[in-house]
């Protein structure tokens, strides 16, 4: 059913795609000569549209659902199907929307989605927790090796307009805790416009989360069950605290990993001694070591990591200087900022001490 | 032997790659502490260099050819091999260079290389003819379905400087006719800078063609034997002559081919009737037809083509309006300009007449 349902209604055209995991609907304005519905093979429909001149397009179907797409001197005819067997958008009751800037939402998804587990055998890990508590939105993912947390306060965008009225009430959103399939969240975030001044609305039902932005509505199923108690996995204890220039740290890990393949599972070994960090990696045919200045409090340490996990975090942190907390070579290391709007935990890996 | 030979000589560093088909050497300036040579695995060497800071790099080897690459706080160690077994650039005698702008040469290779045969069982078709006759450089390729020809006059770049001196002599280059393996020509053209004001020098020996530009020398073997008599395949006869807006023609063929896969071998069918061209393609699930205005002399015609062959030509012709000559649905169609600095022949394909 990789089809797009094209529905011509009074004064508008509705495009619907639904793979039972995720349903997307978008509304277009258009001149409707006759209402009707047809299901078109998605890729073929897209291909037929995408090279047309920027001009008016006419779409019509005959009794056999053969669909004609006309634009200037060009005409495609593509086979369609009856829309009858095609699932519409699930009927969901929408109330009490959570409003947030499109860009902010897109960002926090990007900054957490990478640690959703790719192994789908664990249903809960294949999802990402979206939580609202005390008017703060948290997005949390974990895959058994690492945890990513992003928090953002919810603000009433229009607070200036209705400052006096029900500002207090409008500011508050009821508490929410849903687990959204990572794949769906990824798909949605791709089509959300990256604009700070446009809002996305989220609605929650027992079985679904609904995303509304511009003329588009997306309905995703949610994963039923209780998510991990991530709070219990966090700790403020540390033996070593480092401040590091993020770009130089990322550059250094990138340089280390060019000589290994991702499948090699070679750890990077990080040694902290005084105010200097040494990053080392070994492969059968080459080795790398790089020195970086750091600002250290506490103990020296030598600890190994899967370099991909470190890179994933460093790529999505925007701060120029990051703070890293470590306990010992077997305990997770934490990268977080002062107000904990982001917290990343990465488990270390064993490494044979090499010279 | 996917190695790069690094040779530290007095005051210069020589990098050599040689896969027996093609040898490339480039010279770098550097401070040499000790002369010597080492062979380094090419990809590993490149990877070790490419992320380093833009700063001075120190390369040193020990007795076991273990090579250390240092830059700022970073250090790679990679295993090397003795350079002894590694082929140097073949010794070739260079005289009487053909000089041409790098950009011009790069362009005419790009504009002809696509019709070199990918089937290497036919040695000659896997090469491209480079010919100098009457001080005109021609590049010609063919694959049994099409022929591409580009010609460019050779000019003495420095003619103004030594106008009075041996201008006449300097202007003339002896006639040349060599067949260069298409793959090699493609590789060379990728590394030639796309600059109009820089020259590339070509040298010819019995077995090799040598390309010299900037600090780089490339030696390619040539294919021995006689190339096809392409002159005999060309004709000025036609029944239909068309002038078409190139961009619109290409757009239309692109639109036609989005609904078919390249493996489908579906022809585009071009019908010329009066001053209009109709382009049509059919697949099991879709069809396209597009109308274009043309300026026609001669007969109406209906003719089928492999759309890829038409696109390949239209993509490399820079003219806004192109002229197409056709004879009948079984004879090659010719796209050429007035002074014949380019000539493209494309054989038509059979097509079942569909409505």
């Amino acid at each position: 059913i990789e089809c797009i349902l094209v529905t011509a209604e009074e004064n508008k055209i509705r495009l619907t795609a639904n793979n039972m995991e995720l349903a997307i609907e978008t509304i277009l304005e258009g001149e409707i000569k006759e209402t009707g519905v047809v299901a078109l093979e998605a890729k073929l429909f897209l291909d037929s549209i995408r090279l047309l001149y920027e001009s008016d397009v006419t779409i019509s179907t005959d009794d056999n659902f053969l669909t004609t797409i006309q634009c200037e001197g060009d005409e495609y005819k593509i086979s369609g199907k009856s829309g009858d067997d095609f699932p519409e958008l699930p009927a969901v009751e929408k109330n009490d929307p959570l409003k947030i800037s499109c860009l902010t939402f897109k960002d926090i998804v990007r900054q957490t989605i990478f640690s959703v587990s790719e192994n789908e055998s664990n249903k809960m890990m294949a999802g990402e927790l979206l939580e609202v508590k005390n008017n703060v939105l948290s997005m949390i993912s974990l895959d058994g090796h690492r945890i990513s947390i992003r928090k953002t306060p919810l603000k009433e965008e229009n607070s200036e307009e209705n400052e006096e009225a029900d500002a207090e009430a409008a500011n508050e959103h009821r508490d929410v805790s849903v687990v959204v399939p990572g794949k769906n969240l990824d798909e949605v975030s791709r089509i959300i416009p990256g604009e700070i001044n446009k809002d996305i609305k989220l609605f929650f039902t027992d079985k679904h989360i609904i995303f509304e932005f511009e003329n588009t509505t997306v309905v995703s199923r949610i994963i039923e069950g209780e998510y991990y108690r991530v709070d219990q996995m966090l700790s403020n204890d540390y033996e070593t605290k480092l401040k590091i220039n993020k770009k130089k740290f990322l550059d250094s890990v990138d340089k280390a990993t060019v000589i290994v393949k991702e499948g090699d599972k070679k750890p990077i070994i990080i040694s902290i001694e005084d105010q200097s960090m040494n990053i080392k990696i070994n492969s059968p045919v080459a080795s790398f070591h790089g020195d970086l200045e750091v600002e250290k409090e506490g103990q020296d340490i030598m600890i190994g990591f899967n370099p991909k996990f470190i890179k994933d975090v460093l790529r999505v942190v925007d701060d120029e200087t990051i703070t890293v907390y470590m306990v010992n070579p077997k305990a997770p290391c934490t990268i977080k900022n002062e107000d904990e709007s982001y917290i990343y935990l990465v488990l270390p890996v064993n490494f044979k001490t090499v010279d």
Side-chain angles (χ1 to χ4, degrees), chain A residues 175-327:
Chain A
D175 287 358
V176 171
S177 177
V178 296
V179 182
V180 187
K183 276 190 180 172
N184 292 2
L185 204 55
D186 186 38
E187 292 281 354
V188 175
S189 73
R190 284 169 201 270
I191 59 171
I192 296 172
E195 290 176 46
I196 190 82
N197 293 323
K198 280 187 182 160
D199 274 353
I200 180 169
K201 287 184 197 170
L202 309 184
F203 301 87
F204 306 92
T205 75
D206 285 354
K207 303 219 159 148
H208 293 103
I209 176 171
I210 300 111
F211 305 85
E212 249 189 38
F213 50 93
E214 296 187 319
N215 303 314
T216 300
T217 305
V218 182
V219 181
S220 165
R221 70 171 180 90
I222 57 182
I223 299 171
E224 286 174 68
E226 189 114 352
Y227 199 67
Y228 306 91
R229 298 293 313 268
V230 172
D231 283 354
Q232 297 174 357
M233 307 175 189
L234 308 177
S235 153
N236 287 319
D237 298 340
Y238 65 88
E239 295 296 323
T240 310
K241 177 179 174 183
L242 306 169
K243 290 195 175 182
I244 316 173
N245 177 292
K246 194 213 71 170
K247 186 176 182 317
K248 287 190 176 168
F249 189 12
L250 179 55
D251 282 351
S252 199
V253 181
D254 278 336
K255 282 178 208 158
T257 47
V258 288
I259 61 166
V260 294
K261 288 176 206 122
E262 208 172 297
D264 285 353
K265 300 207 169 172
K266 292 285 180 192
I268 48 165
I269 300 156
I270 295 181
S271 313
I272 311 295
E273 216 171 308
D274 300 329
Q275 300 301 305
S276 133
M277 173 192 259
N278 178 263
I279 292 181
K280 203 158 61 173
I281 202 162
N282 287 292
S283 88
V285 293
S287 67
F288 168 83
H289 79 83
D291 284 319
L292 288 180
E293 272 181 35
V294 293
E295 203 177 295
K296 188 194 71 174
E297 284 172 34
Q299 306 302 310
D300 286 349
I301 189 174
M302 189 182 232
I303 187 168
F305 290 103
N306 178 333
K308 182 181 184 305
F309 294 169
I310 299 293
K311 285 198 275 188
D312 281 347
V313 173
L314 298 181
R315 279 181 190 143
V316 299
V317 171
D318 295 325
D319 293 344
E320 200 180 317
T321 303
I322 56 162
T323 312
V324 183
Y325 302 84
M326 293 167 175
V327 181

Side-chain angles (χ1 to χ4, degrees), chain A residues 158-169:
Chain A
N158 308 319
S159 55
E160 278 177 46
E161 282 175 39
N162 52 7
E163 212 168 336
E164 297 191 41
D166 46 1
E168 197 65 14

Side-chain angles (χ1 to χ4, degrees), chain A residues 48-49 51-58 68-77:
Chain A
S48 304
I49 299 292
L51 294 184
L52 293 177
Y53 291 117
E54 285 195 29
S55 182
D56 285 350
V57 175
T58 306
T68 305
I69 300 165
Q70 279 167 308
C71 176
E72 306 276 321
D74 299 319
E75 182 181 294
Y76 288 97
K77 282 187 188 293

Side-chain angles (χ1 to χ4, degrees), chain A residues 133-144:
Chain A
K133 216 187 251 180
N134 304 325
N135 234 32
V136 170
L137 170 66
S138 306
M139 303 274 307
I140 300 173
S141 69
L142 59 81
D143 67 0

Side-chain angles (χ1 to χ4, degrees), chain A residues 27-95:
Chain A
I27 306 286
L28 295 169
E29 283 180 21
E31 189 187 328
I32 311 299
K33 295 268 163 99
E34 198 179 324
T35 59
V37 57
V38 65
L40 299 174
E41 203 268 285
K43 187 176 177 306
L44 191 60
F45 184 39
L46 175 65
D47 283 342
S48 304
I49 299 292
R50 66 187 171 87
L51 294 184
L52 293 177
Y53 291 117
E54 285 195 29
S55 182
D56 285 350
V57 175
T58 306
I59 301 179
S60 53
T61 53
D62 70 10
D63 293 345
N64 299 315
F65 303 103
L66 181 68
T67 301
T68 305
I69 300 165
Q70 279 167 308
C71 176
E72 306 276 321
D74 299 319
E75 182 181 294
Y76 288 97
K77 282 187 188 293
I78 63 179
S79 304
K81 289 178 210 159
S82 157
D84 294 347
D85 304 330
F86 195 85
E88 292 261 353
L89 213 61
V92 283
E93 202 183 314
K94 297 187 292 187
N95 56 20

